[in-house]
Amino acid sequence: MTSMAVEYNGTTGVADDGYSSGVHNLNIFYDTGHMTFLTICSVLVLLMIPGVGFFYGGLARRKSALQLVLLSMLSVAIIGFQWFFWGYSLTFSRTGNAFLGDLTQFGLMNTLGEPNGSPLLPDILLCLYQGMFASITPALAIGAVADRGRMLPALVFIFVWSTIVYDPIAYWTWNANGWLFKLPAYDFAGGGPVHIASGSCALAYSLMLGRRAGYSTNAGLPYRPHSVTNVVLGTVFLWVGWFGFNGGSALAMNLRAVMACYVTNLAASCGAISWILLDYRLERKWSTIGFCSGAISGLVAITPAAGFVTPWAAVIIGVCGGVCCNFATKLKFLIGVDDALDIFAVHGIGGMIGNILTGIFGTSTIAGLDGNNYSPIGWIQGNWIQLGYQLAGICAAFGWSFVLTCIILFLMNLVPGLSLRVSAEDEDIGIDDCQLGEFAYDYVELTRHVTDADRTVSSSSSAANEKTGPNAV
């Protein structure tokens, strides 16, 4: 059993260490059940990040797979510091304006026991939980470097982009002082700050990098995902972690969190079924990649709506997410951008679909499962203007992320040593070889040119001779 928490009696509304009440045992202000739940949700969101790496690495070519796994984990490390340094303060400080927070909590000073985001959470726990959101967002976007992007510029970009792009959008959406929060544009768990922002970032990064060698405007590159097993593994990590991503966004262990978890799983299931059936109609084969892509699309679409919609609405959202994202994979051919992993199609379009449908199916009865009172939310409650507010949030997130990403990358590419793309020779060799010197699989070195049968045979024969020669060990 847990005892009832004492109402916080310290100063509020300013950055404070939590000790102003004169009470030295700050634990009395918080229920351990809520804190345990949010801590577990933080770990679940962290689990999603290597899931992104495996998902992207499996979709890529063998000779560039390891880079995508490494970049996902480096996103955790870089944003772990950035969030401590000033990211959390810029996003969740209490005294910012309508556009951006201030540095009153720079370096996590005065960030400990005062409630933030919810009267049920201490500042430091909100920092931990939201820091995982900040970490996964650039990890989702950075897959755009697949097969052709250099490592160092990508690492610099993650820090700069999170500061200039992610932090403001998250502030607008989730900070009580943000202009989208006040509008209000409803976004439960990150349709705008996470998915639209990362999807539009990936689109801009792909545009600024240029097409991969051998790219065709009507068929892309003739490469299939090199490891479907890794794609499935990544999907499992993401699907499981999404319970913490959406459920934890209730910021407490309550019925709203439980409902968010339920509709998350339901939408993922419906998205997976929708996508795999659409692919089956074309080839009369059951696509594992299609199933995984559809599940992720459903998860993305339900993200902004999870704390606002009923289960029957989640079915519609999952189906719409799977169908719309499936067809959106053709957009890259229409606009001629080599989005190698369809990040914009799944995350950008999926986030937009979810935000729009939140304005249609959102209901105060579901939001009120956390014990608070809410005004009518969506069209099903007669709040017709809400769709306009949701569209404002979509346009703001897309426009800010896409334009600022292009500007950041353009300026970085002018800096000596920060050119975005590897040379043509390095691209042919493979990013893992030229940038990492390590490989996802030990036989990549022996069969580096996997699309050239003559070279493959030659390399394999040469390697066999080396291993069987007089000096073999």
Side-chain angles (χ1 to χ4, degrees), residues 19 45 80 120 127 154 187 189 195 203 220 227 236 240 252 267 288 346 397 400 414 436 459:
Y19 283 91
V45 179
L120 304 174
C127 177
D187 191 334
H195 296 296
L203 182 67
S227 175
V236 171
V240 172
T288 307
V346 173
W400 184 260
L414 299 178
L436 276 60
S459 298

PDB file of all heavy atoms in Angstrom, residues 19 45 80 120 127 154 187 189 195 203 220 227 236 240 252 267 288 346 397 400 414 436 459:
ATOM      1  N   TYR A  19      12.679  22.898  -2.000  1.00  0.00           N
ATOM      2  CA  TYR A  19      12.867  22.909  -0.554  1.00  0.00           C
ATOM      3  C   TYR A  19      12.284  24.157   0.107  1.00  0.00           C
ATOM      4  O   TYR A  19      12.414  24.341   1.304  1.00  0.00           O
ATOM      5  CB  TYR A  19      14.366  22.842  -0.208  1.00  0.00           C
ATOM      6  CG  TYR A  19      14.951  21.472  -0.346  1.00  0.00           C
ATOM      7  CD1 TYR A  19      15.525  21.056  -1.539  1.00  0.00           C
ATOM      8  CD2 TYR A  19      14.912  20.568   0.709  1.00  0.00           C
ATOM      9  CE1 TYR A  19      16.067  19.790  -1.674  1.00  0.00           C
ATOM     10  CE2 TYR A  19      15.458  19.302   0.589  1.00  0.00           C
ATOM     11  CZ  TYR A  19      16.035  18.914  -0.611  1.00  0.00           C
ATOM     12  OH  TYR A  19      16.567  17.666  -0.743  1.00  0.00           O
ATOM     13  N   VAL A  45      10.365   4.161 -23.228  1.00  0.00           N
ATOM     14  CA  VAL A  45      10.667   5.052 -24.347  1.00  0.00           C
ATOM     15  C   VAL A  45      12.141   4.919 -24.738  1.00  0.00           C
ATOM     16  O   VAL A  45      12.483   4.940 -25.922  1.00  0.00           O
ATOM     17  CB  VAL A  45      10.314   6.512 -24.000  1.00  0.00           C
ATOM     18  CG1 VAL A  45      10.660   7.438 -25.172  1.00  0.00           C
ATOM     19  CG2 VAL A  45       8.834   6.639 -23.663  1.00  0.00           C
ATOM     20  N   GLY A  80      21.032  13.433 -24.276  1.00  0.00           N
ATOM     21  CA  GLY A  80      21.156  13.320 -22.831  1.00  0.00           C
ATOM     22  C   GLY A  80      21.893  14.521 -22.252  1.00  0.00           C
ATOM     23  O   GLY A  80      21.505  15.075 -21.217  1.00  0.00           O
ATOM     24  N   LEU A 120       1.314  15.848  -9.745  1.00  0.00           N
ATOM     25  CA  LEU A 120       1.679  14.517  -9.271  1.00  0.00           C
ATOM     26  C   LEU A 120       3.139  14.167  -9.555  1.00  0.00           C
ATOM     27  O   LEU A 120       3.598  13.108  -9.127  1.00  0.00           O
ATOM     28  CB  LEU A 120       0.771  13.472  -9.915  1.00  0.00           C
ATOM     29  CG  LEU A 120      -0.735  13.668  -9.708  1.00  0.00           C
ATOM     30  CD1 LEU A 120      -1.526  12.650 -10.519  1.00  0.00           C
ATOM     31  CD2 LEU A 120      -1.098  13.579  -8.242  1.00  0.00           C
ATOM     32  N   CYS A 127      11.588  15.788 -16.212  1.00  0.00           N
ATOM     33  CA  CYS A 127      12.815  15.959 -17.000  1.00  0.00           C
ATOM     34  C   CYS A 127      13.296  14.618 -17.555  1.00  0.00           C
ATOM     35  O   CYS A 127      13.656  14.515 -18.725  1.00  0.00           O
ATOM     36  CB  CYS A 127      13.880  16.601 -16.125  1.00  0.00           C
ATOM     37  SG  CYS A 127      15.479  16.789 -16.940  1.00  0.00           S
ATOM     38  N   ALA A 154      26.195  14.685 -38.938  1.00  0.00           N
ATOM     39  CA  ALA A 154      24.951  14.180 -38.367  1.00  0.00           C
ATOM     40  C   ALA A 154      24.921  14.386 -36.857  1.00  0.00           C
ATOM     41  O   ALA A 154      23.883  14.734 -36.280  1.00  0.00           O
ATOM     42  CB  ALA A 154      24.775  12.699 -38.715  1.00  0.00           C
ATOM     43  N   ASP A 187      -2.554  17.672 -28.563  1.00  0.00           N
ATOM     44  CA  ASP A 187      -1.547  16.708 -29.002  1.00  0.00           C
ATOM     45  C   ASP A 187      -1.090  15.950 -27.766  1.00  0.00           C
ATOM     46  O   ASP A 187      -0.280  16.450 -26.989  1.00  0.00           O
ATOM     47  CB  ASP A 187      -0.372  17.411 -29.675  1.00  0.00           C
ATOM     48  CG  ASP A 187       0.572  16.446 -30.375  1.00  0.00           C
ATOM     49  OD1 ASP A 187       0.637  15.269 -29.959  1.00  0.00           O
ATOM     50  OD2 ASP A 187       1.254  16.865 -31.329  1.00  0.00           O
ATOM     51  N   ALA A 189       0.670  13.012 -27.141  1.00  0.00           N
ATOM     52  CA  ALA A 189       1.991  12.410 -26.916  1.00  0.00           C
ATOM     53  C   ALA A 189       3.018  12.729 -27.983  1.00  0.00           C
ATOM     54  O   ALA A 189       4.078  12.114 -28.003  1.00  0.00           O
ATOM     55  CB  ALA A 189       1.848  10.890 -26.779  1.00  0.00           C
ATOM     56  N   HIS A 195       6.639  13.422 -34.341  1.00  0.00           N
ATOM     57  CA  HIS A 195       6.486  12.752 -35.633  1.00  0.00           C
ATOM     58  C   HIS A 195       6.474  13.705 -36.823  1.00  0.00           C
ATOM     59  O   HIS A 195       7.189  13.478 -37.808  1.00  0.00           O
ATOM     60  CB  HIS A 195       5.243  11.870 -35.610  1.00  0.00           C
ATOM     61  CG  HIS A 195       5.335  10.769 -34.621  1.00  0.00           C
ATOM     62  ND1 HIS A 195       6.276   9.770 -34.718  1.00  0.00           N
ATOM     63  CD2 HIS A 195       4.642  10.515 -33.470  1.00  0.00           C
ATOM     64  CE1 HIS A 195       6.151   8.941 -33.695  1.00  0.00           C
ATOM     65  NE2 HIS A 195       5.173   9.380 -32.924  1.00  0.00           N
ATOM     66  N   LEU A 203      12.701  14.614 -44.498  1.00  0.00           N
ATOM     67  CA  LEU A 203      12.446  15.031 -45.879  1.00  0.00           C
ATOM     68  C   LEU A 203      13.439  16.103 -46.294  1.00  0.00           C
ATOM     69  O   LEU A 203      14.030  16.044 -47.388  1.00  0.00           O
ATOM     70  CB  LEU A 203      11.017  15.550 -46.009  1.00  0.00           C
ATOM     71  CG  LEU A 203      10.571  15.980 -47.403  1.00  0.00           C
ATOM     72  CD1 LEU A 203      10.483  14.776 -48.342  1.00  0.00           C
ATOM     73  CD2 LEU A 203       9.215  16.692 -47.337  1.00  0.00           C
ATOM     74  N   GLY A 220      13.145   4.409 -57.487  1.00  0.00           N
ATOM     75  CA  GLY A 220      14.084   4.477 -56.385  1.00  0.00           C
ATOM     76  C   GLY A 220      15.319   3.642 -56.670  1.00  0.00           C
ATOM     77  O   GLY A 220      15.863   3.648 -57.766  1.00  0.00           O
ATOM     78  N   SER A 227      17.691  -7.096 -44.021  1.00  0.00           N
ATOM     79  CA  SER A 227      17.427  -7.980 -42.884  1.00  0.00           C
ATOM     80  C   SER A 227      16.011  -7.749 -42.370  1.00  0.00           C
ATOM     81  O   SER A 227      15.771  -6.864 -41.535  1.00  0.00           O
ATOM     82  CB  SER A 227      18.436  -7.737 -41.755  1.00  0.00           C
ATOM     83  OG  SER A 227      18.108  -8.521 -40.623  1.00  0.00           O
ATOM     84  N   VAL A 236       9.131  -4.732 -32.752  1.00  0.00           N
ATOM     85  CA  VAL A 236       8.763  -5.232 -31.428  1.00  0.00           C
ATOM     86  C   VAL A 236       9.195  -4.241 -30.343  1.00  0.00           C
ATOM     87  O   VAL A 236       8.413  -3.891 -29.446  1.00  0.00           O
ATOM     88  CB  VAL A 236       9.387  -6.620 -31.171  1.00  0.00           C
ATOM     89  CG1 VAL A 236       9.194  -7.038 -29.719  1.00  0.00           C
ATOM     90  CG2 VAL A 236       8.777  -7.660 -32.108  1.00  0.00           C
ATOM     91  N   VAL A 240       6.315  -2.266 -28.089  1.00  0.00           N
ATOM     92  CA  VAL A 240       6.309  -2.381 -26.629  1.00  0.00           C
ATOM     93  C   VAL A 240       6.594  -1.023 -25.981  1.00  0.00           C
ATOM     94  O   VAL A 240       5.906  -0.606 -25.042  1.00  0.00           O
ATOM     95  CB  VAL A 240       7.347  -3.429 -26.171  1.00  0.00           C
ATOM     96  CG1 VAL A 240       7.497  -3.411 -24.652  1.00  0.00           C
ATOM     97  CG2 VAL A 240       6.940  -4.826 -26.637  1.00  0.00           C
ATOM     98  N   ALA A 252       0.451  10.243 -15.057  1.00  0.00           N
ATOM     99  CA  ALA A 252      -0.014   9.646 -13.803  1.00  0.00           C
ATOM    100  C   ALA A 252      -0.521   8.249 -14.118  1.00  0.00           C
ATOM    101  O   ALA A 252      -0.835   7.921 -15.273  1.00  0.00           O
ATOM    102  CB  ALA A 252      -1.127  10.476 -13.160  1.00  0.00           C
ATOM    103  N   ALA A 267      -4.815   0.575 -32.391  1.00  0.00           N
ATOM    104  CA  ALA A 267      -4.506   1.293 -33.626  1.00  0.00           C
ATOM    105  C   ALA A 267      -3.334   0.651 -34.361  1.00  0.00           C
ATOM    106  O   ALA A 267      -3.328   0.568 -35.595  1.00  0.00           O
ATOM    107  CB  ALA A 267      -4.192   2.759 -33.313  1.00  0.00           C
ATOM    108  N   THR A 288       6.029  -9.141 -44.697  1.00  0.00           N
ATOM    109  CA  THR A 288       6.424  -8.878 -43.312  1.00  0.00           C
ATOM    110  C   THR A 288       6.794  -7.410 -43.138  1.00  0.00           C
ATOM    111  O   THR A 288       6.438  -6.792 -42.127  1.00  0.00           O
ATOM    112  CB  THR A 288       7.635  -9.752 -42.928  1.00  0.00           C
ATOM    113  OG1 THR A 288       7.344 -11.121 -43.220  1.00  0.00           O
ATOM    114  CG2 THR A 288       7.977  -9.600 -41.456  1.00  0.00           C
ATOM    115  N   VAL A 346       5.816   7.800 -43.247  1.00  0.00           N
ATOM    116  CA  VAL A 346       5.285   7.136 -42.057  1.00  0.00           C
ATOM    117  C   VAL A 346       5.109   8.116 -40.902  1.00  0.00           C
ATOM    118  O   VAL A 346       4.031   8.193 -40.297  1.00  0.00           O
ATOM    119  CB  VAL A 346       6.195   5.963 -41.637  1.00  0.00           C
ATOM    120  CG1 VAL A 346       5.744   5.380 -40.295  1.00  0.00           C
ATOM    121  CG2 VAL A 346       6.181   4.881 -42.710  1.00  0.00           C
ATOM    122  N   ALA A 397       4.326  22.964 -37.048  1.00  0.00           N
ATOM    123  CA  ALA A 397       5.365  21.960 -36.836  1.00  0.00           C
ATOM    124  C   ALA A 397       6.081  21.632 -38.143  1.00  0.00           C
ATOM    125  O   ALA A 397       7.319  21.562 -38.188  1.00  0.00           O
ATOM    126  CB  ALA A 397       4.761  20.691 -36.229  1.00  0.00           C
ATOM    127  N   TRP A 400       8.098  24.942 -39.495  1.00  0.00           N
ATOM    128  CA  TRP A 400       9.263  25.277 -38.678  1.00  0.00           C
ATOM    129  C   TRP A 400      10.360  24.225 -38.861  1.00  0.00           C
ATOM    130  O   TRP A 400      11.531  24.560 -39.057  1.00  0.00           O
ATOM    131  CB  TRP A 400       8.847  25.371 -37.216  1.00  0.00           C
ATOM    132  CG  TRP A 400       9.936  25.812 -36.286  1.00  0.00           C
ATOM    133  CD1 TRP A 400      10.709  25.028 -35.485  1.00  0.00           C
ATOM    134  CD2 TRP A 400      10.396  27.152 -36.078  1.00  0.00           C
ATOM    135  NE1 TRP A 400      11.613  25.781 -34.776  1.00  0.00           N
ATOM    136  CE2 TRP A 400      11.446  27.093 -35.126  1.00  0.00           C
ATOM    137  CE3 TRP A 400      10.029  28.400 -36.599  1.00  0.00           C
ATOM    138  CZ2 TRP A 400      12.112  28.232 -34.684  1.00  0.00           C
ATOM    139  CZ3 TRP A 400      10.695  29.530 -36.168  1.00  0.00           C
ATOM    140  CH2 TRP A 400      11.725  29.439 -35.213  1.00  0.00           C
ATOM    141  N   LEU A 414      28.608  24.521 -45.479  1.00  0.00           N
ATOM    142  CA  LEU A 414      29.603  25.535 -45.848  1.00  0.00           C
ATOM    143  C   LEU A 414      30.794  25.534 -44.904  1.00  0.00           C
ATOM    144  O   LEU A 414      31.826  26.138 -45.211  1.00  0.00           O
ATOM    145  CB  LEU A 414      28.950  26.928 -45.838  1.00  0.00           C
ATOM    146  CG  LEU A 414      27.778  27.156 -46.800  1.00  0.00           C
ATOM    147  CD1 LEU A 414      27.225  28.559 -46.611  1.00  0.00           C
ATOM    148  CD2 LEU A 414      28.215  26.946 -48.245  1.00  0.00           C
ATOM    149  N   LEU A 436      32.871   4.093 -40.186  1.00  0.00           N
ATOM    150  CA  LEU A 436      32.964   3.406 -38.901  1.00  0.00           C
ATOM    151  C   LEU A 436      34.167   2.464 -38.819  1.00  0.00           C
ATOM    152  O   LEU A 436      34.747   2.289 -37.748  1.00  0.00           O
ATOM    153  CB  LEU A 436      31.689   2.592 -38.625  1.00  0.00           C
ATOM    154  CG  LEU A 436      30.481   3.326 -38.016  1.00  0.00           C
ATOM    155  CD1 LEU A 436      29.987   4.452 -38.915  1.00  0.00           C
ATOM    156  CD2 LEU A 436      29.349   2.343 -37.750  1.00  0.00           C
ATOM    157  N   SER A 459      35.548 -11.313 -55.042  1.00  0.00           N
ATOM    158  CA  SER A 459      35.902 -11.035 -53.653  1.00  0.00           C
ATOM    159  C   SER A 459      35.844 -12.293 -52.820  1.00  0.00           C
ATOM    160  O   SER A 459      36.725 -12.559 -51.996  1.00  0.00           O
ATOM    161  CB  SER A 459      34.948  -9.986 -53.064  1.00  0.00           C
ATOM    162  OG  SER A 459      35.061  -8.774 -53.768  1.00  0.00           O
TER     163      SER A 459
END
